[in-house]
Amino acid sequence: MFGIVRPCSHRLGEGLKTQWMAHLCGLCLALRGDHGQFARVVTNYDGLLISVLTEAQAERATGWRRTAGPCPLRGMRTASVAQGEGARLAAAVSLVLASAKVRDHVADGDGLLARRPVALAARRVAASWGKAGARTGTAVGFDTAVLVEAVDRQLGIEALAGPGTPLLTVTEPTETATAAAFAHTAVLAGRPGNAAPLAEAGRLFGRLAHLLDAVEDRETDAASGAWNPLTATGTSLAEARRLADDALHGIRLALREAEFTDSRLAHVLLVHELGRSVDRAFGTSGCGHPADGAHGTHPPHGSLGSPGSGDLLEVAGSAVLLGPEGSFGPPQHGGNPYTGGGNPFGGGPSFQPPTPGKRGFWSGCAAAVGLCCTCKMCCADRYEGPWSRKKREGCLNDCDCDCSCCEACQCCECCECCSCCDCGL
């Protein structure tokens, strides 16, 4: 399961956690019901936001939930899951975007997809998903052509982008696609007046999704030589963080303009948990809304600061300095003594911990099947992503975060958060 909004179940509380799981399982089962078992591999955390927004706007009525049978991903437990047009729209969007992602991997020749027989099979899977998504989209009144057109335009923009190209030019196709999907939830819920503000929220969410993916993959892409929007356009992390914070603020404002029947889950996911996702991607911690306007605070005891920050890091009881490019060294030498300038034996590369490479498409599929069959994806504390090999938290794992600073509101990163967004939660 992939996506940028991966909420902390401890912070959600039992009620909102149950709702969130209902939408996650509802998306998975909508994919299976309309498109077969294999389509369930495109289930993702961000896709369920479509289902959440649809239900949040709709008038309360029966028929939004059904009881699903035992599932290995729920530890063979039954559950109440979301159903209806919102879940089907989420399935359609997930299929079309997954189809585009597979085509992109084929075009780049990633992993096993560099081999012609595998690439041919992957293209057939992508084409099948694209057609299936289009059918389901049509069934709920959504034209998926806007998603396909945006993805095709993305490839052309990336090919032309270079140093000096505005980063927002690169993120525009993603913004357009998510804006269309968010706006259609207003149509499904019978609230056409919400279409404009939700389109704005979707546009900014698409910008964030693109930005955070670029930030998280920056080092991996540099090591593998893959294209990365930050590197290609010469955009600094500081500028990317500024754009991310502006997008967060814009989403808050857009959601205030929309009318909801029950906005609690949508608000927690798109305001509070989305802010946590930004902090996680940029490696900041603590309050997401510091009073002095700085992005985050000094790293906690025993953690890494940002590269080049000069922050102290305690390793095995000894203080070392985190120097430029993440190099290490004793404080009195100002960095790693084995990097250029500090190495008495000549220049050399700074120490960098090895990172595992991404899996190819088919090997990732095999890993995903193994995770599903062993329930690790759902019940393990942490597991390795099947394709990215990044460490993920199991979706039913209770976090160990310390929420003692906000016991009164239970949804924010600090007590000031409630006043900054006027959520009233």
Side-chain angles (χ1 to χ4, degrees), residues 219-220 223 328 350-358 384 389 391:
E219 293 183 0
T220 304
F328 294 92
S350 61
F351 170 76
Q352 294 286 352
T355 55
K358 292 182 178 180
E384 190 179 78
R389 305 192 75 168
K391 295 298 182 183

Side-chain angles (χ1 to χ4, degrees), residues 21 46 58 64 93 105 199 202 205 258 303 316 339 386 400:
M21 284 299 301
D46 294 344
W64 288 99
V93 172
H105 283 305
F205 181 83
S303 64
T339 57
D400 57 356

Side-chain angles (χ1 to χ4, degrees), residues 132-225:
R135 288 196 304 271
T136 301
T138 300
V140 296
F142 180 66
D143 185 4
T144 58
V146 65
L147 306 183
V148 176
E149 189 274 335
V151 171
D152 291 341
R153 191 154 36 86
Q154 181 78 55
L155 299 177
I157 290 175
E158 290 181 0
L160 297 175
T165 301
L167 186 59
L168 296 187
T169 299
V170 179
T171 63
E172 182 274 324
T174 307
E175 296 177 19
T176 300
T178 51
F182 273 46
H184 196 69
T185 65
V187 177
L188 295 182
R191 291 186 182 267
N194 284 350
L198 289 182
E200 177 66 5
R203 183 180 69 82
L204 295 173
F205 181 83
R207 177 183 301 178
L208 267 179
H210 204 133
L211 281 174
L212 299 192
D213 182 65
V215 170
E216 291 178 341
D217 292 345
R218 192 169 63 105
E219 293 183 0
T220 304
D221 290 343
S224 64

Side-chain angles (χ1 to χ4, degrees), residues 245-268:
D245 287 342
D246 286 347
L248 279 175
H249 183 63
I251 289 173
R252 293 189 185 108
L253 295 178
L255 291 178
R256 290 180 185 176
E257 299 297 320
E259 295 181 0
F260 296 96
T261 303
D262 183 355
S263 66
R264 287 176 298 171
L265 181 58
H267 180 90
V268 168

Side-chain angles (χ1 to χ4, degrees), residues 374-394:
T374 58
C375 298
K376 285 186 176 181
M377 191 176 289
C378 188
C379 304
D381 290 341
R382 291 177 70 82
Y383 66 91
E384 190 179 78
W387 286 278
S388 68
R389 305 192 75 168
K390 295 178 182 177
K391 295 298 182 183
R392 308 289 191 192
E393 291 185 356

Side-chain angles (χ1 to χ4, degrees), residues 251-303:
I251 289 173
R252 293 189 185 108
L253 295 178
L255 291 178
R256 290 180 185 176
E257 299 297 320
E259 295 181 0
F260 296 96
T261 303
D262 183 355
S263 66
R264 287 176 298 171
L265 181 58
H267 180 90
V268 168
L269 294 178
L270 286 171
V271 176
H272 299 289
E273 292 299 335
L274 191 54
R276 285 175 56 83
S277 298
V278 172
D279 285 337
R280 181 170 57 242
F282 284 91
T284 55
S285 60
C287 175
H289 312 279
D292 60 0
H295 301 310
T297 59
H298 290 291
H301 179 75
S303 64

Side-chain angles (χ1 to χ4, degrees), residues 225-246:
W227 193 91
N228 184 282
L230 298 181
T231 305
T233 60
T235 304
S236 66
L237 283 178
E239 174 63 11
R241 180 64 195 248
R242 185 190 68 80
L243 292 172
D245 287 342
D246 286 347

